Amino acid sequence: QVQLVESGGGLVQPGGSLRLSCAAPGIIFNIYTMGWYRQAPGKQRELVATITRGGSTNYADSVNGRFTISRDNAKLTIYLQMNSLKFEDTAVYYCNALYSAKTYWGQGTQVTVSS
């Protein structure tokens, strides 16, 4: 019923950049808080960044200053611009939509930082 479509993952060298994208239906995008989470092998899923319908953002300390979350309301898409990537950023990144008791997840996109 609700599909979050993610793209942009890949393999990059340390210090490189990637931009992730997540498209959502308008009924979701225009109301829900959107965000990015990530999960590395053997670790719990962690919050990376969120952005509200009003544009308020929050970042995990580990990515603050390096990553930027944004939204394009016309394209119904959120982005995660990742700069100065580190080995420890390697994880599956998931798009998330949250509103009240309702939440939706994308299938994830792999980001690998390796030299």
Side-chain angles (χ1 to χ4, degrees):
Q1 185 175 354
V2 175
Q3 299 289 331
L4 303 181
V5 182
E6 300 157 302
S7 63
L11 174 65
V12 296
Q13 294 184 326
S17 298
L18 282 175
R19 189 178 74 162
L20 307 183
S21 300
C22 174
I27 190 173
I28 299 299
F29 187 88
N30 292 328
I31 298 176
Y32 284 50
T33 295
M34 304 294 296
W36 291 97
Y37 292 71
R38 68 185 182 185
Q39 186 168 22
K43 297 184 178 180
Q44 296 183 0
R45 187 172 299 184
E46 65 176 353
L47 186 150
V48 176
T50 61
I51 185 166
T52 68
R53 58 184 295 186
S56 179
T57 60
N58 283 285
Y59 297 92
D61 289 342
S62 59
V63 306
N64 194 28
R66 299 186 298 118
F67 292 10
T68 302
I69 188 171
S70 62
R71 58 192 296 153
D72 187 327
N73 293 339
K75 295 182 178 180
L76 303 178
T77 301
I78 65 165
Y79 304 94
L80 185 68
Q81 179 66 47
M82 303 183 292
N83 299 325
S84 301
L85 284 162
K86 305 174 180 180
F87 292 121
E88 51 264 41
D89 294 320
T90 296
V92 177
Y93 284 71
Y94 296 91
C95 183
N96 171 261
L98 175 65
Y99 177 73
S100 186
K102 302 176 182 178
T103 188
Y104 299 96
W105 294 92
Q107 290 188 310
T109 184
Q110 177 71 49
V111 172
T112 302
V113 183
S114 177
S115 61

